[in-house]
Amino acid sequence: MQKPGGGSRAAQADRTRSAILKAAVKVFSRQGYAGARTEQIASQAQCNERMIYYYFGSKDELFVSVLEHIYAQFNRAEARQRFDLTDPQQAIRDLVAFTWNYYLKHPEFITILGTENLLQGTHARKSSNLRALSGTAVGMLEPIVKAGQQQGLFREDIDIRHVYLMIASLCYFYNSNLHTLSCFLDDALASPQEKQHWLEFISDLVLRGLARGGEGA
């Protein structure tokens, strides 16, 4: 019989696995893949190091799970957004703003993806779930673009993946290279005002790329 308030063994396992993933995100984002140690992750998760190997098998497989986890978190946050399809241009602005603000609030997303790209996608290729997760993200954009096409606002010759890449790259590059760009161009790039100006600029840029006849909104 289960002890009152003790929780089931399965629930405890879920909590431990979740704590390990959360700790792994922090450690991998700070230390990179090579610098991260499983004992650091276990300490952060307040569990025995062997639990990492029990639930994930290896450091490699844990990093694959971390990649899937951060993409899934992004998708869940995006799915909670409500975009007004009666106003596709504003919906695009809202989607760009969501992506931009998510990157600002979750720098670990940027650093972990940067780490994996330095590793040439070694772990991403091992994942059987990333393609499905990317389909979900692109799927949020598709109805907005179709609504704009139906209203005669957006071009018909649009590859949804290209629009997704345009939004992701414009939001990602500024954040991933902020420190070097600030030294190279202008220290003010890190200021809230400059970040807001960039958001307004890229929102206009995306709409210009979508606009029928190449005209901006």
Side-chain angles (χ1 to χ4, degrees), residues 2 14-15 20 65 75 97 99 105 110 117 124 133 140 144 147 153 162 168 172 184 193 203:
Q2 186 177 305
D14 286 343
R15 285 193 293 271
I20 292 171
S65 294
N75 284 359
T99 305
K105 293 175 183 175
I110 301 295
N117 278 293
L133 290 168
M140 295 294 294
I144 301 174
L153 298 170
H162 291 170
Y172 181 90
F184 183 63
Q193 293 86 354
S203 297

Side-chain angles (χ1 to χ4, degrees), residues 40 43 61 110 157-158:
Q40 293 173 299
S43 175
E61 291 175 54
I110 301 295
D157 60 333
I158 290 173

Side-chain angles (χ1 to χ4, degrees), residues 118-134:
L118 285 173
L119 296 170
Q120 300 182 339
T122 300
H123 303 89
R125 284 194 295 272
K126 295 177 182 178
S127 171
S128 58
N129 297 320
L130 280 188
R131 183 60 61 88
L133 290 168
S134 72

Side-chain angles (χ1 to χ4, degrees), residues 99-100 103 109-115 117 165-178 198 202:
T99 305
W100 170 252
Y103 289 178
F109 189 83
I110 301 295
T111 54
I112 288 173
L113 292 186
T115 294
N117 278 293
L165 285 170
M166 177 166 55
I167 294 171
S169 60
L170 288 169
C171 293
Y172 181 90
F173 181 81
Y174 192 107
N175 285 290
S176 65
N177 294 275
L178 179 60
W198 180 249
I202 63 177

Side-chain angles (χ1 to χ4, degrees), residues 74-85 88 91-92 94-96 98-99 132-147 160 163-164 167:
F74 176 86
N75 284 359
R76 283 194 292 270
E78 187 178 51
R80 290 194 292 269
Q81 308 305 304
R82 294 295 176 263
F83 302 110
D84 182 3
L85 298 185
I92 287 292
D94 292 342
L95 179 59
V96 173
F98 162 77
T99 305
L133 290 168
S134 72
T136 301
V138 174
M140 295 294 294
L141 176 62
E142 190 168 17
I144 301 174
V145 172
K146 285 186 174 179
I160 296 292
V163 183
Y164 178 83
I167 294 171

